[in-house]
Amino acid sequence: MTSNSAPARPPVTHKIDVIVQRDRQIGWMLTIPALLLLIAVFAYPIGLAVWQSFITKNLGTELQPQFSGIQNYIRMAQDGRFWQSLWNSVVFTTLSIIIEFLLGLGIALVLNQAFRGRNIVRTIAILPWALPTALIALAWTWIFNDQFGVVNDLLLRLRIIDSGINWLGNPTLAMVAVIIADVWKTTPFISILLLAGLQSIPDDLYEAHRIDGANAWQSFWQITLPLLLPQVVIALVFRFAQAFGIFDLIAVMTGGGPGGATEMVSLYIYSTVMRYLDFGYGSALVVVTFLLLVLAVAIAAYLLSRVRGSAQATDAR
Amino acid sequence: MTRTDPTPTIAPSETQQAMLELRHLNKTFSPSVVPVKDLSLSVKRGEFLTLLGPSGCGKSTVLRMIAGLEQPTKGQVLIQGEDVTHKPPGDRNISMVFQSYALYPHMTVADNIASALKLRKIPEEEVRQRLREVSHFLGLEALMERKPSKLSGGQRQRVAVARALVRRPSVFLLDEPLSNLDALLRENVRAELKQLFESQQAPVVYVTHDQTEAMTLSTKVAVLNDGNLQQLDAPHQIYAEPANQFVAGFVGSPQMNFLTLPCEAGAARLGDRSFPLPPPLSHARQVILGIRPEHVRRAQPGDTYTFEGKIFLVENLGMHYLVSVHIQATQQTTYTLRLLLPSDATWEGDSLQIALPPETIHWFDAETGSAVRQ
Amino acid sequence: MTTQPLDRTPSPSKPSISWKQWALPLSVGLIVVFCLAPALWQLLTSFKTNEAIAAIPTVYFPSEFTLEHYQELFERRPFFNYMLNSFVVATLSTVLALGLGSPAAYALARLRLQGESILVGAILVVTLFPPILLFLGLLNVVQALNLGNNYLSLILPYAAINLPLTILVMRSFFQQLPRDLEDSAKVDGYSTVGLLLNIVLPLTLPALATTGILAFITAWNEFIFALTFITAEPMKTIPVAASQLGGASIFEVPFGPIAAATVLGTLPLVLLVLFFQRQIIRGLTSGAVKG
């Protein structure tokens, strides 16, 4: 270096940030394989369903597929079985989520306490979540069996009933039974999330609140619940989507019966496609279910963003 | 604000080449986030340059640009005269000690130290030789086969330094390497570092927000604030002749006293005394008087600038008392002043006659904050 | 530290202590019963003789235990095959999900991609898609590519179903990794790929285990794709095979073998939960909450 940099010379400007650019190039190379698989398995089927929903395509008939505009949607609007299945899904989803949330919150609060053997109990408490739903459905079918089922036996012994109930043969009771099974299977998911939320609330908040003169009940409403709200919303959104699309549990336990009393949208879609081979109409059902789900999730996401905003405001305070 | 010109230290007669040179370095993340505005400086063989400033002043960004972890938006980085602005960090022949030490947790100490050498395909025999030297030099022989998690904080720090030394780089970069050590250890390691790098040829660029580290370790200190270079000088110069009010306030502890005084006819008034101002300030309406607490003393016969201070706070620092007093300047204005008194000092009542020795006073332009020499 | 001896706990408010004395153990007991009873009942049934199973009133403490239902599953039906099928499909799809997902997660955590937050948001939304919405379109693909009764028709969708969770969990892990470590490796001279393989990957193993376990559980449990795309009897996975167990006639439901099949299909997962409880909880919470 012989010449000193003359102060008059303007500084060299670099238009492209090579480091960022290099990072991005590699980044896309690492991301694209995963994105392709995601597109193939998530985006493409939905897109295909949208396209097919405008086509009359029934592999059960000899007819060639043909474009039929919104015919499938018109048919859906007049299809009592569709509306029934939608209603069933709404009832199932709402009831099971509410029960699961209350139960899950209770379990999380208990597991958040200090007691001997807490780790073992925590392990036990996540067990139902990990087990295959289809097999769990078999277990519950057996438990609710009208002749030999343990539920009837217990109720008889407690003299609550005089004769065995045909749980899965009665429209209302079948719904009750599948909800109970679903609650058993998925409450652990909610308690895990809520427990994590509870553990992230610093103890000194409670201590400060107690010094302010609050009792446990007041602390629960004024500290625990507000700070837990983000986890609550997240858990509910996840559970909503899963419950709304529930298939295996119902398919194995009742097959949608008796008389369609537990036929959810998902089961209706499945039999439309697999039994009646009506791909066009099945696609329309998929599209509508998808849109309903997106709508619900969008609402939840909006709520979540507000909850998070207010939670941060609480933190700042 | 910048007192120094871009090439402050290279006198024409000096033939020694700058090991590291920064030319008009600028980093712009967004129009409102410009951590480094326009920085030019150079570092020569054997120098120890400290970038000193409060957090967010841009000092770490400068270091990351030298290392090649960030690309400057404008300007160039030259190492041994070669423009390396676009070279990846691994090709720059620099080594860096990180604040968190950044030891690879899954590698032994030996592998940690040797990893850069192995990547450069240095013959195995030489790698072993260099490992032996550096481990002996830093007293790490017994730890070579351990994993970082089995080391104490001080040991980790030494491994991080070893990893930098073994490279024999053109420039050493150190990013707050002492800030993760507890206070006691820090002083020992600081002394160690000073000796260690004095024995090295390659210059050091050291980032810290700790003025003690800057003053004790460096041959040159660059004080940065808000992305701008405030002053680049030897440590004693920084202390004795701060270029502006920011540097004066940032360096020195307890902090320098600043009194904003009204001016009249080329003199600043404090109570019934008036201080003649240096010529550039003769027309100012206001001026800032700066004086370090260690330079304020109790009045002795013959002192010109004496005041009565009302004591309102005494803090015992062990070696000194830090005494805070109010000076009643006029009916309406009171000034606060802090001074250091020796620990054997005694006084009666709550007032103290104090003197401001004029040769220790710094004058600052009230508008720009720049220092004006007597 | 975890449990206070109840009688020695000093407290100013006596009534609440006596309330707590029984409330906590009682609720813990209820939770344990609630979570275990249905599964244990199935376990008990699987060891009961047919007579005990069909006895009225119900037998709670059978006098004899039998392995005949298990024998039936292994000797008269290919249940070993079913378990192996499930194992192979779940393992391969897990490996694929980790192999594709972790690099993407790293890129989304560190490499400053354009539209990163949109991508992450889209991936998060995708976790909410129930498989029933996908099976129709995938069925078209499977038919078009002639992949029916080919494990690829399960492995690829399972990997895809597990990708979002993998990406989200791994991304949050990478974000917690100290950045200095990667910077240090760059200064040492590692290339980006070398850095990923030599520095990041070894540190990632625990997180990979966490996500891998979750992915394996999901794949093992999947029902609708396995039901639709695999129709050849010996190729079925265990949830489908168990749900299709039938007797000689509709009136003769083989409760014993069904219970045994449930136990067999559940056992691997029970073991996973017992050994990896911590990892599972960590994975689930970081995947859902950090997104």
Side-chain angles (χ1 to χ4, degrees), chain A residues 176-187:
Chain A
V176 171
V178 294
I179 289 176
I180 290 175
D182 189 62
V183 165
W184 184 80
K185 165 83 179 121
T186 51
T187 300

Side-chain angles (χ1 to χ4, degrees), chain A residues 17-30:
Chain A
D17 192 325
V18 182
I19 297 172
V20 172
Q21 209 185 28
R22 202 189 302 132
D23 274 2
R24 280 188 178 153
Q25 262 171 17
I26 294 166
W28 283 114
M29 271 158 36
L30 297 178

Side-chain angles (χ1 to χ4, degrees), chain A residues 11-17 20, chain B residues 24-39 58 61-62 65 70-75 226-228, chain C residues 112:
Chain A
V12 183
T13 307
H14 314 286
K15 288 216 177 65
I16 302 163
D17 192 325
V20 172
Chain B
H24 299 291
L25 219 50
N26 167 294
K27 181 72 187 176
T28 306
F29 285 119
S30 72
S32 59
V33 185
V34 189
V36 180
K37 291 192 177 117
D38 182 10
L39 180 69
T61 311
V62 173
M65 287 194 283
E70 310 254 5
Q71 180 179 310
T73 310
K74 286 179 198 159
D226 203 15
N228 284 316
Chain C
R112 301 180 268 199

